[in-house]
Amino acid sequence: MTASAARDLDDAVARIAGSALRPGPVGRVGLELENHLVDLADPGAPVDWHRLTRSAAGCGPLPGGSRITFEPGGQVELSAPPADDVAAAVLGLRADQATLGAALAADGLGLVLLGADPLRPARRLNGAARYAAMEAHFAAVGCADAGARMMTSTAALQVNLDAGPAADWSSRLALAHRLGPVLVAVSACSPLLAGRAVGWRSSRQQIWGELDSARCGPLLTGDDPAAEWAAYALAAPVMLVRDPVSGAAEPVRGRVPLADWVTGETRLGDRTATDADVDYHLTTLFPPVRPRGYLEIRYLDAAPEPWWPALAAVTATLLDDPVAADRAADACTPVADRWSDAARFGLADAALRTAAADCLAAAHDAAPPALRAEVGLLRELVSRGESPGDAVLRQAGSADPLAVLRAALDLPGGTP
């Protein structure tokens, strides 16, 4: 490696580590909620892309300020601005979800809150260059099926939290990861996928587990999480190269670590990586907890009311309330590495169920009063060894995919 290449690599390390986490107090919460979209007259059919974008655009500015975006399979995502606490975040997102749902319902469309589409096969509707390149890259590196299902058939609730004081980053990141298997089991709401039961309580998490661990696996959460994030990012393969003028995206059809592009060991797009390339590469990495100045908690299934507000409250409380955090850390330690078991067995696993019950008790004691009823309902569900997916199956009256899809519809004016 030349001196220039070493300097470029050092610059990339400093850039990535420097943007990983911002020091400050904890408390603010941002929420992102993905919805599957269905035609109410024909729920088993894909929704025409132009129809869904036109209908969503017609709802105008949302009262809580959420941004509307569209995932590759036509899933509609609401990204709410940060609020002062989780109660305010839920209040704002609920208002935006209701406003969007009413606008779509007027056009015969409905929002479905489930971790995976229970009925329709994977199909990409969003023609954005980024998603076409993602699809091609996943196919080239040997995870075409999982990549297509992740992009088009899954939906999540994402909880964004302040990074907190720098002295606490290591323990805070470690707890966010340690909570992962328990909250995967608690949030599990995707027992069906593409028309059949797949034998997993969270097929969404199962799909993520099949993807490239260098891009989607958890961080190690050692003593220096910012430096660890830089090492993770530089080792991860580059997914696509964007043309700096046209914005076109070309997939990388192989495994080229970012470090090799930065140093010039491998040239992509007939050039070495720029600062903009490094920054964009970070948006193509999907660990279960992603540092973006704040913490993105990415491992929760989307679930219908009252479950997603309860899950948001539980996640924020267990990480931001110091007493609840200590109780959760103790409860989760015995099952901290059981991601796959959590997705497959959920709360049917005795150890995960015990840890979940302890975490829900801690969260209920410290939850904001405005959300304590929802957290209480989730605590009761967990005490029975059930997750939101079980509640949806019970409401549907069967495991018929169409009935499950209808049971999870988030219609204006109440449940269907």
Side-chain angles (χ1 to χ4, degrees):
M1 184 185 297
T2 66
S4 175
R7 186 166 57 252
D8 289 343
L9 191 60
D10 288 344
D11 289 345
V13 168
R15 185 177 186 85
I16 298 168
S19 66
L21 299 166
R22 292 190 297 268
V26 301
R28 292 184 308 160
V29 177
L31 299 175
E32 301 179 29
L33 185 62
E34 295 171 340
N35 297 261
H36 303 286
L37 191 68
V38 299
D39 184 333
L40 296 174
D42 188 6
V47 178
D48 176 76
W49 174 252
H50 297 292
R51 179 186 177 191
L52 74 90
T53 53
R54 182 185 66 248
S55 296
C59 74
L62 297 175
S66 291
R67 182 168 54 96
I68 303 172
T69 55
F70 304 99
E71 294 299 306
Q75 307 97 310
V76 182
E77 180 177 24
L78 290 176
S79 300
D84 289 340
D85 55 37
V86 70
V90 167
L91 183 67
L93 185 54
R94 267 179 164 158
D96 290 349
Q97 178 85 357
T99 300
L100 176 62
L104 293 173
D107 196 23
L109 299 174
L111 299 171
V112 174
L113 285 166
L114 289 170
D117 191 321
L119 180 60
R120 298 168 296 185
R123 177 177 175 178
R124 183 166 61 86
L125 302 178
N126 189 332
R130 169 185 170 96
Y131 296 136
M134 286 177 68
E135 188 175 65
H137 174 81
F138 282 131
V141 299
C143 49
D145 290 344
R149 292 195 300 269
M150 178 275 286
M151 292 170 65
T152 67
S153 299
T154 65
L157 166 67
Q158 183 171 299
V159 180
N160 302 323
L161 303 173
D162 289 319
D168 297 338
W169 286 349
S170 180
S171 60
R172 188 161 168 78
L173 266 290
L175 176 58
H177 283 85
R178 197 177 303 167
L179 282 167
V182 169
L183 293 183
V184 165
V186 168
S187 71
C189 196
S190 47
L192 307 179
L193 177 68
R196 64 187 182 92
V198 290
W200 294 72
R201 305 296 278 274
S202 175
S203 60
R204 183 201 58 82
Q205 181 63 30
Q206 180 236 344
I207 289 166
W208 280 99
E210 292 181 353
L211 292 169
D212 185 356
S213 62
R215 182 180 308 282
C216 303
L219 279 70
L220 296 176
T221 62
D223 293 335
D224 189 345
E228 184 182 342
W229 174 234
Y232 182 106
L234 287 161
V238 180
M239 176 178 280
L240 59 89
V241 177
R242 295 193 306 166
D243 185 284
V245 177
S246 69
E250 287 296 323
V252 178
R253 302 180 188 274
R255 298 182 62 83
V256 179
L258 176 64
D260 289 358
W261 192 20
V262 168
T263 63
E265 183 173 333
T266 302
R267 293 175 66 85
L268 299 174
D270 198 31
R271 58 183 175 81
T272 56
T274 65
D275 285 347
D277 293 321
V278 171
D279 294 343
Y280 191 82
H281 173 72
L282 300 180
T283 73
T284 71
L285 306 180
F286 311 113
V289 180
R290 182 166 66 174
R292 298 194 67 185
Y294 51 92
L295 304 186
E296 287 183 348
I297 311 300
R298 302 175 54 86
Y299 45 64
L300 303 169
D301 275 12
E305 288 272 2
W307 311 121
W308 73 259
L311 291 165
V314 167
T315 303
T317 300
L318 293 181
L319 280 160
D320 284 356
D321 182 89
V323 174
D326 287 346
R327 291 174 64 182
D330 291 340
C332 291
T333 297
V335 294
D337 60 350
R338 296 186 59 194
W339 293 90
S340 182
D341 288 344
R344 182 185 290 276
F345 304 116
L347 299 177
D349 180 276
L352 284 163
R353 180 174 176 175
T354 297
D358 290 346
C359 285
L360 265 293
H364 187 259
D365 290 347
L371 291 171
R372 197 159 292 156
E374 288 88 342
V375 174
L377 290 172
L378 184 61
R379 184 182 182 185
E380 291 176 11
L381 191 70
V382 167
S383 72
R384 300 195 296 268
E386 296 184 343
S387 66
D390 298 297
V392 171
L393 288 172
R394 188 165 52 250
Q395 183 180 349
S398 73
D400 174 71
L402 183 56
V404 169
L405 193 81
R406 286 175 169 152
L409 273 169
D410 185 22
L411 294 174
T415 55

